[in-house]
Amino acid sequence: MSSSPLRLLLDFDAQYRRDRDQTPAFLHRRDRRLALVREQAGATPPSLAEWLHAVGDGRHHTAPLRHWRRLNGGLVLAGGVLGVLTMLGLLYVTGPARINVTLFLALVLVQLLLAVLTAGQSLAGWRPWGALLDRSDPDQPAPALRPLQPQLAGRAAQAGGLAFAITALLTLLAQILVRDLAFGWSTTLQTSAPAYHGLVNALAWPWRGWLPAAVPDLDLVAQSRYFRLQNGQPADPALLGGWWPFLVMTWLCYVVLPRLVLLMLAQAHLRHRARRLLRDHPGVAALRERFATPWVDSGDETPAGAPLATPSPGPAPEPPADTGTLIRWAGADDRDRLRPRLGEARVLDAGGAASLEQDRDTLNRADGGRPVVILVRAWEPPTGDLADFLDDARAHWGAATPILLQPLATDDRGLAPWQRFVARRQDPALQLCPPLPADQEAAAP
Amino acid sequence: MTAPPRFAVVGHPNKGKSSIVATLAQNDGIAIALEPGTTRDSHHYPLSVDGHVLYELIDTPGFQRPRKVLAWLQAHSASASDRADTVRAFVTQHRGDPRFHDECELLTPILDGAGILYVVDGAVPYSPEQEAEMEILRWTGRPSLALINRIGEGDHLADWRAALGQYFQIVRDFDAVRAPFDTHLSLLRGFGQLAPDWEAPLEEAVTHLRDQRRHRQHRALGLIAEALADMLTHAESARFNEHDNRDALEHDLARRWRDRQRRREQTLRRDVEALYRHRHLHRREQQLDWDGGHDLFSDQARRAWGVSRTYLATAGFGAGALGGAGIDALAAGHSLGTGALIGGVLGAAGSLYYGGKYADKLGALKLLAPLAGGGRQAEFGPVRDPQFGYVVLGRALEHWFQVSHRNHAGRDPLTLDHGDRHWLEQLPRPDRQRLQKALQNPPRHQSDGKRRQALEQAVENAGAAFLVWRETPSD
């Protein structure tokens, strides 16, 4: 289960993207079921982490963070090495030269400014090195991570800065331990020892109350001033080493601690932004809606049968002129369009509203020695009643009597069931005639 | 717990039984397979809410030998009191008889307690030939309702009503292909009137179906807003080397950009169709009339769904003024509305400039930062023409309207239909300005919550206005 908001955001976004390939119906059913299970147990709908645990694949999708992890590691390493080198460079002196405290304080100020600027760009969502970082990342950042780039960059920079500050401090302590460092102060500005003492006293404000040994006194400040063109030795060389507690505390309070605090702030800001992004994620509102909306299933997912294959129609004969009987099936009537073509054919009725006795009577009265035309409505599919009638007709008239089904049709669409019907009967003397155009009035009984 | 009501949809073959089930069960697969007289087995379509079945529709085969069945029943019944038992005896005796397979299939659920929904075609004249079927159903003694479906153009409803009234408790007209959604619900309420115990579950079903429709509308408009944001912000990019032909690259990127926008529109359509359970509609997509001569980038599309320059200037002024008013608010009113005025003028000027001839100002090639390995990144898009958003939105709303108002029994291809009045007339002026602003400032990424919500709200309002426009008859 994801606990970090950033990881939760990435996991949720990955699941959201996978879900886009699912049907809305499936998603609704799945999530509503989860909410109902919780509801039955008397609990509220699942949290996002619980939901991910239930529907996800159990893996964390933190691959998009790999680039940032590498960058973080690189910056921490670079910061650490640079911290050592910078402090060694600052403390490097030869001969009787002194290490300028003013220069040290300037470096502290620069570090503090850099830390604050980094925090500012992160808060403002600005990415001054964005293009450079993008070029170092061959993959496109994950969409969910894109708006977090300034915060991720800010956190990485603060981590690198903290590594710089800590290794520089350790280097300073090591140098103090193993070398005889002589500190002094020097500046081109016309300033007096009391004024400089006021400055260091003000800088020592955070610890002067509880660590007075780390606050240089006026005597030390006055005696440790030097000028580049003055060759005189200090009155008491041992005194000059007395600056180190102040310098260590200054570095600790104005470089290490701000970096640490700002790194924690950057982390908190990142988590806060990730939480907000998760809250505003388009998938979250949709998910909550699915939790709350009943799943209505109207049976729409029941698979329907496949359409039937229609045999290709064979050559369709016209009703022959020597037709002996025209049977109007189930009230089909062409009025006067077909009968003149059939000469003296007898016209009978069967099917539909006619009784079974009337059907039998029709079979008896029909001229089974000559072709029989059965007029049917093409838009009404053939029924079992007609199949029974044809069976009885065959039994009555014999297998050789040509029987022609003459459909009345308004279009060709209704013919397929009739073609299948004729093919299914496997009766060589049963044929389907070309459809005869019908109007609705003609179709009336 | 009592069993949910069940309704067997029965009738003569090819009178629209499956169409009615397709519409009520929202399953266009039934309509696709609908070949006259091909239903040989009963199919059950339950309506369930969170797994709890409220009612069930049963699609049955049509009567094949009603006269023989009735003759058997009459021959085996001694008095009116044994009719239901005689029908049961018929089914018991003929269950394995292939000649009466269809009759057994359709009578079994009725004998098991289902209500009867008898379907006839009101487009053809009343014929006494179906009286045998109605008589058999009357013999079962089950609650019954007759539905007069209209498959063709004829109108014989009055005759059918008079005849059916003699056999069935309730007679209703229902056009499975064209009946609006409210009529579906009204019909379901009618089912509930067949028996006292059935009224509550049917009423509950109606409530849930109405909520489902509201939910779908909200989701569909959300999908449209998502697609709009995507299409308005999309850009195609490529590497541009020093010796490349700039015009050729621009032409290629523009073509890719347009193709991608067309594909995105198709994806939106499929999503909306899936939301409304029209899963078989896309099979006929090539027949869509509006894709032939109505390409997304055609002048026809622009004429149908674009807006006039005056409209653009007015809405652009309003949208700019909305932004400028923010500056006035920051100045606590000391700017005397200057911010709104300047914003409005800038908005109107921008809309006028980019709102020229459609497709000419959709986008232009931009050369961006140098790339590692040489060359520069070239980009086409995002779109600059404010008309594009209106065209996409109008087409999407029209498609949504067609799909959401299409019954699942419908088999005709979708056709683009638009009147001679522009739908935006129905949108109140403040909503027009919000829409213009949202189209000008689409969300650039998914976490751009504020802009996304503004666009979603604007599309929601537009959808409501579009519904009013489409449902209001033209003067």
Side-chain angles (χ1 to χ4, degrees), chain A residues 15-308:
Chain A
Q15 184 62 40
Y16 170 72
R17 281 170 203 291
R18 275 199 302 273
D19 281 353
R20 290 170 78 111
D21 296 331
Q22 302 283 9
T23 62
F26 168 78
L27 296 179
H28 194 169
R29 201 169 49 231
R30 179 194 68 187
D31 298 332
R32 175 67 179 165
R33 188 175 293 159
L34 281 175
L36 283 176
V37 168
R38 299 267 303 186
E39 202 176 278
Q40 280 159 7
T44 53
S47 66
L48 292 183
E50 289 164 336
W51 174 77
L52 277 172
H53 183 67
V55 305
D57 51 11
R59 291 186 299 120
H60 288 307
H61 296 267
T62 52
L65 285 176
R66 206 175 295 142
H67 168 67
W68 283 104
R69 285 204 196 100
R70 277 200 301 267
L71 194 70
N72 269 353
L75 281 178
V76 166
L77 188 67
V81 172
L82 210 59
V84 173
L85 295 177
T86 305
M87 191 53 76
L88 284 176
L90 189 67
L91 302 180
Y92 179 76
V93 285
T94 53
R98 280 170 257 190
I99 299 160
N100 192 347
V101 171
T102 311
L103 191 62
F104 187 94
L105 293 181
L107 180 66
V108 168
L109 183 65
V110 168
Q111 280 300 307
L112 193 59
L113 278 176
L114 278 177
V116 172
L117 278 176
T118 304
Q121 63 90 23
S122 165
L123 281 171
W126 185 43
R127 295 178 67 212
W129 311 106
L132 191 67
L133 293 177
D134 289 345
R135 290 179 73 176
S136 70
D137 182 10
D139 305 321
Q140 283 289 313
L145 220 51
R146 231 171 272 156
L148 289 174
Q149 304 275 320
Q151 286 73 40
L152 285 163
R155 188 181 66 171
Q158 297 293 11
L162 182 63
F164 175 92
I166 289 172
T167 55
L169 179 65
L170 293 175
T171 309
L172 174 63
L173 289 171
Q175 290 289 304
I176 289 168
L177 192 69
V178 300
R179 284 178 59 198
D180 164 25
L181 298 177
F183 296 99
W185 65 277
S186 178
T187 172
T188 313
L189 300 176
Q190 294 298 316
T191 185
S192 63
Y196 201 83
H197 177 255
L199 172 71
V200 297
N201 203 35
L203 286 174
W205 173 81
W207 63 87
R208 70 184 174 208
W210 54 274
L211 192 60
V215 184
D217 55 23
L218 182 60
D219 186 37
L220 173 64
V221 173
Q223 288 198 42
S224 54
R225 182 170 196 181
Y226 71 96
F227 295 93
R228 189 166 55 85
L229 298 179
Q230 185 187 37
N231 292 324
Q233 293 294 316
D236 183 2
L239 189 72
L240 299 182
W243 277 95
W244 77 264
F246 168 75
L247 296 177
V248 167
M249 287 307 291
T250 302
W251 191 265
L252 191 67
C253 282
Y254 293 106
V255 181
V256 177
L257 281 180
R259 280 289 188 189
L260 185 64
V261 170
L262 289 175
L263 175 63
M264 287 160 64
L265 277 178
Q267 177 71 15
H269 186 216
L270 183 63
R271 291 168 67 97
H272 171 70
R273 283 275 299 152
R275 257 193 295 269
R276 281 192 57 180
L277 285 175
L278 193 58
R279 190 196 62 193
D280 293 341
H281 197 289
V284 171
L287 176 64
R288 299 213 188 285
E289 207 170 283
R290 293 200 293 271
F291 281 156
T293 312
W295 163 242
V296 180
D297 183 358
S298 53
D300 60 299
E301 297 198 9
T302 309
L308 299 178

Side-chain angles (χ1 to χ4, degrees), chain A residues 9 13 16-17 20 23-25 28 32 36 135 143-144 146-147 273 277 279-283 286 289-290 293-308 310 329-331 350-356 359 377-389 392 413-414 416-417 420 440-441 443-445, chain B residues 12-15 24-30 32-33 35-38 43-51 55 63-68 71 99-100 123-130 154 156 205 208-209 211-212 215-216 218-219 226 264 271 274-275 277 279-280 370-373 412 444-450 452-453 456:
Chain A
L9 173 68
D13 192 61
Y16 170 72
R17 281 170 203 291
R20 290 170 78 111
T23 62
H28 194 169
R32 175 67 179 165
L36 283 176
R135 290 179 73 176
R146 231 171 272 156
R273 283 275 299 152
L277 285 175
R279 190 196 62 193
D280 293 341
H281 197 289
E289 207 170 283
R290 293 200 293 271
T293 312
W295 163 242
V296 180
D297 183 358
S298 53
D300 60 299
E301 297 198 9
T302 309
L308 299 178
T310 302
W329 178 258
S355 66
L356 295 171
D359 284 7
R377 293 170 178 157
W379 59 90
E380 303 244 357
T383 59
D385 251 355
L386 178 63
D388 291 351
F389 182 77
D392 292 345
R413 280 184 298 180
R420 281 197 296 271
Q440 287 297 313
E441 287 307 312
Chain B
H12 200 69
N14 199 28
K15 296 301 175 194
L24 294 180
Q26 303 180 24
N27 186 340
D28 61 346
I30 299 172
I32 288 282
E35 292 267 353
T38 57
H43 293 281
H44 295 240
Y45 300 92
L47 180 119
S48 63
V49 176
D50 290 335
Y55 71 84
F63 280 99
Q64 292 291 327
R65 295 170 172 89
R67 294 181 303 161
K68 285 192 173 143
R99 288 182 309 147
F100 294 105
V124 298
Y126 170 73
S127 156
E129 63 184 293
Q130 286 175 233
H156 302 276
H208 283 295
L209 285 169
D211 288 348
Q212 183 195 47
H215 175 70
R216 281 180 180 171
H218 177 67
R219 278 290 303 143
E226 196 181 315
R264 184 63 183 86
D271 289 348
L275 185 67
R277 311 285 206 278
R279 283 165 300 184
H280 298 275
L371 292 169
D412 295 332
R444 301 275 160 193
H445 46 80
Q446 69 174 29
S447 52
D448 198 346
K450 206 171 163 188
R452 198 184 67 239
Q453 281 161 15
E456 282 172 356

